[in-house]
């Protein structure tokens, strides 16, 4: 697959080919995107009518990329005397420095042309190939090309300008260039997201000429962010690079929502999910808690502020429910999509409660827990009164918006994710197993919060009682005795959806699994049907619906594996946790040390490298967080009171591992671990 | 226009939103050229502020649109996104006032079962 180059800054990002060009097509959703709208759909450089070829490309920093080009070679050897350098910086649009160098002994006359277009497509229109309903317009003013779009009062504009004189028409900026022998020519190009509909007009892009120092929109600079993260000391180069990449990508994915501009939450992923997501933000924040706890605080505040307050079937909103996704594009504005915000997730509410407790355990920030009491109680009420739709004691989901709502409202949210063993679709409403685990965990954790901080021992006792009863019933109702694992879900007729999936690993993480059943679960997770050698695949390879390149029915998801590893550690299967962690981490070097959202679920013996999943997001927040959670599992990190408890189980291939300056309620603490013979790794009690 | 002002005063009287505890923010609503009402939230409690209060954000729209939002026929955030409601200043503050201007938000219907 041809490599794409992505750079981003908050909610603005540019995806181009490796020449720096943007030439969108159905298969290649390239462009300049801002607030879920594509403000530039063509940006193609030609020299004398020919598109230059790429020599080298470097996405130097998360907001900056450089492209080194030559005029397209006619033969296999490049003997050009002209070289071209494009340096691009994204922020409220982008700034591009275009430099042409003539290495020849004669002057050259060139026509340098930048072909431009802006389709102002909503990201949903890009994904679903839908037609626009408004009108495009353009105007040329003050050496500036303005490309615009209008539908009623919905107006978006892109302004394009250059520092060198150019002939401008509606499709291009053209420069007639004369470069002396051994000379050069350059111009700055600015593409400004001038009217994005939500703020007063932007008047300039964020980075001007010569500015290459990252400036966060708010909060911590990249340097401070990296400096304040714990230091990993390891002789394993791949792990060190993967860790470094994760920390930088987490910084890059910090997203400043229009609805809470004073704090950064993790956006879900590039390019499709540069938006606030309940589930993704919570899980990423959980993964990152021992490293950058401030993400969790911002996520909790943001989600609480936008907690559901009423029943709104279009948005699948219910009182107390935590949102699923927020979008700002045209289709959301005109209510052709429900994302303002959309609440179609049945797991984000218990996950929110889990994060609240985990955040306090790591940071000791009791003020936030007290401030969140109202929201937490609302979330608990949602679980019992709305999440459990039929009063059977389990949270189940079905969209109230059959036209544009999500059919599946668990983490495996593609339409064909929940399948029986024979491959047939499970009818809704669906009570997915891992959501019951999350509910169990959320109630246990909120019992602690109620007792310790909300001065409500009665609530604590009730929650503990309900959690215990849920665990007892779940271990009966979901267990498939003859196959030795938990059903993926109960369907609308309360039948067990009997396919073997990675979801059972989440159950270990939640603690809902009876000790007596844990070993059989582990055998499945590490067995040949689920374990690929690169990690645990989402669905076992002998299931009717299995597809190694099916989004949720056979691929390997690093975030899924990280939660599984933590679950294995929780139940004392520490060697197995290490095995899952190391198999995933072994895949990272094949993806430039950046684990993608998902990769194909082929067995490792089939290929010597993990096979890419074609449309996977990268970077993707919870894949970025996965290596962090693997480290936590390997080192056995857990807060205990005001101390950090460290109980490492380091795989032999890692030798020694040190994680220094781990932030938390203890200030800063260090964790050390070294590999021991397998027989000496004890099971946790 | 007096109708709108009276309506807003009635809407905010005695309103409380626990999620906004600890916050003090103001939002001006401008209906046409002359009508301007400033609403404030102070530690979760809503009230009408003096007209010359400096606002954190200002919403401007026609009376028709305001009434559509009030009646729950139009979502405030999508109205802003579509340009039917102009917003100046902090959008986050505008969103805090959604529950006041769209009282349907406060209705808590019974669960489905």
């Amino acid at each position: 697959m041809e490599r794409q180059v992505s750079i981003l800054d908050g909610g603005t990002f540019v995806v181009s080919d490796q020449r720096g060009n943007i030439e969108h097509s159905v298969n290649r959703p390239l462009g300049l995107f801002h607030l879920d709208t594509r403000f530039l759909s063509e940006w193609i450089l030609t020299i004398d009518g020919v598109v230059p070829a790429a020599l080298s490309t470097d996405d130097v920093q998360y907001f900056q990329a450089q492209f080194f080009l030559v005029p397209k070679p006619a033969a296999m050897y490049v003997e050009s005397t002209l070289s071209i350098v494009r340096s691009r910086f994204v922020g409220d649009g982008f700034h591009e420095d275009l430099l042409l160098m003539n290495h020849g002994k004669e002057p050259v006359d060139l026509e340098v042309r930048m072909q431009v277009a802006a389709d102002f497509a909503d990201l949903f229109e890009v994904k679903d190939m839908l037609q626009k309903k408004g009108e495009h317009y353009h105007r040329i003013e003050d050496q500036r090309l303005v490309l615009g779009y209008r539908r009623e009062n919905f107006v978006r504009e892109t302004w394009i300008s250059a520092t060198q004189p150019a002939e401008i028409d509606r499709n291009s900026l053209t420069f007639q260039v004369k470069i002396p022998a051994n000379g050069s020519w350059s111009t700055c190009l600015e593409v400004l997201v001038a009217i994005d509909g939500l703020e007063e007009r932007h008047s300039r892009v964020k980075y001007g000429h010569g500015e290459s120092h990252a400036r966060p929109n708010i909060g911590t600079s990249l340097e401070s962010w990296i400096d304040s993260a714990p230091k990993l000391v390891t002789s394993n180069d791949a792990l060190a690079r993967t860790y470094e990449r994760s920390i930088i990508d987490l910084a890059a994915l910090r997203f400043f929502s229009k609805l809470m501009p004073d704090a950064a939450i993790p956006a879900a992923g590039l390019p499709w999910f540069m938006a606030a997501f309940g589930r993704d933000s919570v899980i990423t924040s959980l993964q990152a808690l021992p490293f950058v706890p401030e993400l969790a605080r911002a996520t909790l505040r943001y989600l609480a502020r936008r907690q559901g307050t009423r029943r709104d079937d279009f948005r699948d909103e219910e009182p107390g429910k935590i949102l699923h996704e927020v979008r700002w594009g045209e289709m959301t504005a005109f209510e052709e999509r429900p994302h303002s915000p959309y609440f179609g997730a049945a797991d984000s509410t218990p996950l929110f409660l889990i994060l609240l407790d985990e955040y306090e355990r790591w940071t000791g920030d009791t003020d936030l827990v007290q401030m969140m009491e109202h929201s937490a109680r609302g979330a608990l009420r949602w679980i019992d009164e709305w999440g459990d739709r039929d009063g059977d004691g389990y949270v189940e989901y079905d969209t109230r918006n059959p036209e544009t709502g999500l059919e599946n409202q668990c983490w495996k949210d593609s339409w064909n994710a929940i399948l029986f063993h024979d491959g047939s679709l499970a009818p809704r409403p669906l009570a997915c197993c891992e959501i019951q685990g999350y509910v169990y965990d959320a109630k246990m954790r909120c019992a602690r919060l109620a007792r310790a901080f909300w001065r409500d021992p009665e609530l604590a006792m009730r929650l503990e009682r309900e959690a215990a009863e849920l665990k007892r019933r779940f271990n009966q109702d979901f267990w498939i005795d003859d196959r030795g694992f938990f059903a993926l879900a109960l369907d609308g007729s309360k039948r067990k959806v009997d396919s073997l999936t990675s979801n059972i690993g989440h159950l270990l993480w939640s603690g809902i699994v009876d000790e007596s059943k844990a070993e059989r679960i582990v055998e499945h997770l590490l067995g040949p049907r689920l374990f690929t050698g690169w990690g645990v695949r989402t669905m076992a390879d002998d299931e009717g619906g299995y597809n190694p390149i099916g989004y949720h029915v056979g691929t390997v998801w690093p975030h899924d594996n990280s939660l599984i590893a933590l679950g294995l550690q929780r139940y004392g299967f520490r060697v197995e946790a290490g095995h899952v962690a190391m198999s995933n981490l072994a895949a990272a070097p094949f993806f430039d040390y950046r684990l993608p959202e998902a990769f194909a679920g082929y067995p490792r013996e089939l290929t010597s490298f993990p096979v890419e999943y074609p449309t996977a997001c990268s970077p993707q927040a919870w894949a970025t967080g996965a290596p962090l959670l693997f480290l936590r599992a390997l080192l056995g990190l857990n807060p205990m009171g005001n101390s950090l408890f460290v109980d490492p189980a380091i795989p032999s291939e890692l030798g020694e591992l040190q994680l220094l300056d781990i932030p938390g309620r203890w200030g800063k603490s260090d964790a050390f671990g070294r590999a021991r013979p397998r027989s000496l790794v004890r099971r946790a009690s | 226009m007096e109708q709108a002002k009276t309506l807003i005063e009635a809407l905010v009287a005695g309103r409380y939103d626990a999620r906004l505890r600890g916050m003090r923010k103001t939002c001006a609503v401008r209906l046409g050229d002359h009508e301007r009402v400033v609403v404030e939230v102070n530690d979760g409690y809503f009230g009408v502020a003096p007209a010359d209060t400096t606002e954190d954000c200002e919403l401007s729209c026609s009376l028709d649109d305001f009434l559509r939002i009030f009646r729950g026929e139009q979502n405030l955030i999508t109205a802003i996104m579509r340009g039917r409601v102009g917003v100046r200043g902090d959008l986050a503050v505008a969103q805090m006032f959604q529950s006041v201007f769209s009282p349907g938000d406060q209705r808590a219907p019974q669960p489905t079962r």
Side-chain angles (χ1 to χ4, degrees):
Chain A
M1 288 192 297
E2 188 183 338
R3 186 178 168 225
Q4 294 178 2
V5 180
S6 304
I7 52 174
L8 71 160
D9 179 82
T12 308
F13 59 95
V14 186
V15 187
S16 69
D17 65 22
Q18 55 189 343
R19 299 167 296 190
N21 285 343
I22 294 167
E23 190 174 5
H24 80 93
S25 69
V26 172
N27 298 325
R28 295 197 314 162
L30 308 182
L32 161 66
F33 296 88
H34 175 78
L35 287 178
D36 304 321
T37 299
R38 179 156 59 191
F39 279 77
L40 199 64
S41 49
E42 278 188 15
W43 183 252
I44 303 169
L45 174 69
T46 58
I47 309 290
D48 287 341
V50 178
V51 176
L55 285 180
S56 183
T57 304
D58 191 3
D59 35 354
V60 183
Q61 304 190 68
Y62 64 79
F63 64 95
Q64 177 188 6
Q66 282 190 304
F67 308 89
F68 297 86
L69 316 174
V70 291
K72 195 164 188 153
M76 65 183 293
Y77 297 107
V78 176
E79 288 191 37
S80 174
T81 55
L82 185 72
S83 51
I84 304 146
V85 183
R86 304 171 77 172
S87 302
R88 182 176 297 160
F89 306 81
V90 65
D92 299 329
F94 64 81
H95 178 102
E96 183 165 322
D97 292 322
L98 176 61
L99 171 66
L100 276 65
M101 291 177 284
N102 176 15
H103 310 296
K105 294 182 172 53
E106 301 294 332
V108 290
D109 292 299
L110 303 168
E111 183 184 85
V112 178
R113 182 169 186 266
M114 192 65 80
Q115 181 179 318
V116 302
D119 62 2
F120 297 97
D122 185 305
L123 261 178
F124 290 118
E125 292 168 325
V126 177
K127 286 172 79 171
D128 300 337
M129 293 177 281
L130 303 174
Q131 295 298 310
K132 299 296 296 178
K133 293 183 176 168
E135 291 180 351
H136 291 86
Y137 61 85
H138 81 282
R139 62 179 186 272
I140 297 164
E141 56 185 22
D142 304 329
Q143 276 292 298
R144 178 167 68 202
L145 174 61
V146 175
L147 301 173
Y149 175 80
R150 180 187 302 280
R151 177 177 170 191
E152 299 176 16
N153 293 344
F154 181 95
V155 179
R156 303 292 182 266
E157 281 189 4
T158 306
W159 294 358
I160 303 167
S161 60
T163 50
Q164 294 279 8
E167 301 156 26
I168 300 177
D169 62 39
R170 64 178 301 168
N171 301 316
S172 65
L173 284 74
T174 305
F175 307 88
Q176 303 300 332
V177 171
K178 189 178 193 71
I179 311 179
N182 295 312
S184 64
W185 174 89
S186 66
T187 187
C188 297
L189 296 156
E190 284 199 348
V191 180
L192 178 65
V193 175
I195 299 180
D196 68 10
L198 294 178
E199 295 179 358
E200 292 171 53
R201 294 172 178 227
H202 295 151
S203 56
R204 66 181 297 267
V205 292
K206 182 172 174 181
Y207 294 100
H209 178 72
E211 293 183 278
S212 59
H213 191 76
R215 292 200 312 271
N217 295 318
I218 193 168
T220 315
S221 71
L222 180 60
E223 291 83 357
S224 303
W225 175 271
I226 293 170
D227 284 347
S228 63
K231 307 290 170 292
L232 179 67
V233 181
T234 171
S235 57
N236 186 302
D237 184 56
L239 177 59
R241 285 173 179 242
T242 305
Y243 176 71
E244 184 184 10
R245 184 83 249 174
S246 285
I247 294 294
I248 292 172
D249 282 348
L250 270 182
L253 287 167
R254 284 177 299 172
F255 177 81
F256 302 91
S257 166
K258 295 286 176 191
L259 296 182
M260 198 178 76
D262 58 337
I265 59 172
L270 192 78
W272 299 116
F273 305 125
M274 284 307 294
F277 276 75
R279 177 188 306 122
D280 298 61
S281 299
V282 166
I283 289 179
T284 306
S285 299
L286 271 165
Q287 293 169 318
L289 253 175
F291 303 85
V292 277
E294 56 267 38
L295 280 183
R297 179 181 170 82
T299 296
L300 288 163
R301 287 176 55 223
Y302 178 82
L303 295 177
R305 196 173 286 182
R306 290 303 295 125
Q307 189 171 21
T309 56
R310 62 176 176 173
R311 176 171 167 175
D312 177 343
D313 291 354
F314 176 63
R315 295 175 179 80
D316 276 330
E317 180 178 357
E318 290 155 351
K321 198 174 185 183
I322 296 298
L323 67 83
H324 173 57
E325 182 178 356
V326 185
R327 294 290 188 177
W328 295 96
E330 179 183 346
M331 296 190 76
T332 301
F334 284 85
E335 303 197 353
E336 294 159 349
R337 290 288 186 278
H339 297 76
S340 51
Y342 180 54
F343 288 80
D347 53 359
S348 54
T349 307
L351 285 169
F352 167 82
L353 295 168
I354 291 168
L355 178 63
L356 180 61
D357 172 71
E358 191 70 1
Y359 171 75
E360 193 286 327
R361 291 178 68 235
W362 280 88
T363 65
D365 183 353
T366 55
D367 287 349
L368 189 79
V369 172
Q370 277 160 352
M371 198 170 87
M372 292 275 162
E373 179 183 345
H374 175 81
S375 297
R377 287 177 183 269
L380 285 165
R381 272 196 302 277
W382 176 85
I383 288 172
D384 292 336
E385 297 177 10
W386 295 86
D388 179 6
R389 296 164 65 100
D390 57 11
D392 69 346
Y394 299 122
V395 168
E396 51 264 308
Y397 62 74
D398 192 2
T399 182
R400 301 183 198 279
N401 173 0
E403 287 186 10
T404 52
L406 276 173
E407 291 162 303
N408 277 316
Q409 304 191 352
C410 55
W411 87 261
K412 293 178 177 173
D413 58 2
S414 51
W415 67 273
N416 64 344
I418 310 300
L419 302 172
F420 284 100
H421 178 57
D422 65 5
S424 60
L425 270 178
R428 302 188 304 266
L430 288 166
C432 284
C433 66
E434 79 280 10
I435 299 176
Q436 318 316 317
Y438 302 157
V439 169
Y440 166 78
D441 195 18
K443 289 195 170 183
M444 291 297 288
R445 288 168 179 269
C446 284
R448 185 185 82 86
L449 298 179
R451 194 170 279 121
F453 305 110
W454 302 336
R455 296 186 296 278
D456 193 344
E458 280 182 26
L459 174 63
M461 283 191 290
R462 177 168 69 79
L463 291 172
E464 284 167 346
R465 205 169 48 242
E466 289 172 358
E469 174 64 7
L470 173 61
K471 181 172 181 173
R472 186 191 66 75
R473 294 180 61 235
F474 177 83
N475 277 272
Q476 287 178 358
D477 295 348
F478 280 71
W479 185 250
I480 306 173
D481 204 32
D482 57 330
R483 301 192 70 193
F485 58 81
F486 290 99
L488 169 58
L490 298 183
D491 78 354
S493 306
K494 306 302 173 189
R495 290 178 301 169
K496 292 171 185 167
V497 181
D498 55 350
S499 52
L500 175 61
T501 64
S502 63
N503 302 46
I504 57 176
H506 291 229
L507 299 175
L508 294 177
W509 173 55
S510 72
I512 199 172
V513 176
D514 280 344
E515 280 285 337
S516 61
K517 294 186 169 76
E519 192 142 355
R520 296 202 68 185
I521 295 299
V522 177
E523 286 168 7
H524 284 296
L525 289 168
L526 277 296
R529 289 188 289 160
L530 274 177
F531 195 74
T532 70
W534 297 110
V536 179
R537 51 170 76 90
T538 40
M539 180 175 277
D541 66 0
D542 62 345
E543 295 297 331
Y546 168 71
N547 176 0
I549 48 171
Y551 196 47
H552 291 122
V553 289
T555 49
V556 176
W557 287 60
H559 95 278
D560 188 26
N561 278 257
S562 71
L563 294 173
I564 292 169
L566 205 62
L568 290 165
Q569 192 232 13
R570 176 173 185 157
Y571 277 78
F573 295 93
R574 308 172 71 221
V575 172
E576 292 80 0
H579 195 44
V580 170
M582 293 311 294
S583 60
N584 271 258
L585 291 168
F590 297 95
F591 299 104
D592 288 333
Y593 304 97
R594 174 187 276 164
L595 285 171
E597 176 187 24
F599 51 90
Y602 299 111
R604 190 166 178 172
E605 55 269 22
L606 196 65
T607 60
S608 53
F609 52 86
V611 175
E612 282 188 49
Y613 179 75
T615 56
C617 286
S618 185
Q620 207 240 13
W622 61 18
T624 295
L628 308 184
L629 204 56
F630 287 138
L631 279 173
R632 177 178 168 184
L634 293 174
L635 286 164
L637 304 180
N638 267 308
M640 284 206 176
N642 284 325
S643 303
L644 177 64
F645 184 69
V646 182
D647 187 16
I650 307 297
S652 57
E653 55 264 52
L654 281 183
E656 277 192 14
L657 204 58
Q658 298 178 26
L659 193 63
L660 309 177
D661 293 332
I662 302 165
R665 58 197 305 160
W666 42 82
K668 296 269 176 119
S669 193
D670 302 335
F672 300 86
R674 63 184 171 86
R676 296 176 189 279
R678 187 177 170 138
S679 59
L680 294 181
V681 177
R682 60 185 165 74
R683 278 197 67 182
S685 57
Chain B
M1 286 300 177
E2 273 303 311
Q3 179 193 353
K5 187 173 182 185
T6 307
L7 189 60
I8 291 171
E9 286 172 348
L11 281 173
V12 300
R15 298 298 292 273
Y16 176 72
D17 186 338
R19 293 174 302 169
L20 301 177
R21 277 181 302 174
M23 289 186 192
R24 183 168 193 169
K25 299 287 182 186
T26 53
C27 177
V29 181
R30 184 177 289 281
L31 301 167
D33 291 336
H34 305 296
E35 192 74 13
R36 183 173 180 276
V37 184
V38 183
V39 183
E40 69 173 1
V41 60
N42 190 352
D43 200 21
Y45 293 94
F46 290 95
V48 173
D52 58 352
T53 305
T54 306
E55 72 276 3
D56 296 299
C57 83
E58 181 184 85
L59 302 175
S60 53
C61 62
S62 68
L63 178 60
D64 272 359
D65 279 325
F66 182 79
L67 291 174
R68 279 166 51 79
I69 291 164
F70 166 70
R71 291 193 296 259
E73 297 164 8
Q74 170 68 58
N75 177 284
L76 174 63
I77 298 298
T78 55
I80 291 170
M81 292 165 69
R82 288 170 69 163
R84 294 192 74 87
V85 173
V87 61
R88 201 164 50 77
D90 190 344
L91 181 62
V93 173
Q95 178 248 314
M96 287 178 198
F97 287 81
Q98 183 170 10
S99 62
V100 173
F101 300 138
S102 188
D105 281 3
Q106 292 301 298
R107 286 197 294 269
Q110 291 303 302
T112 45
R113 67 180 160 84

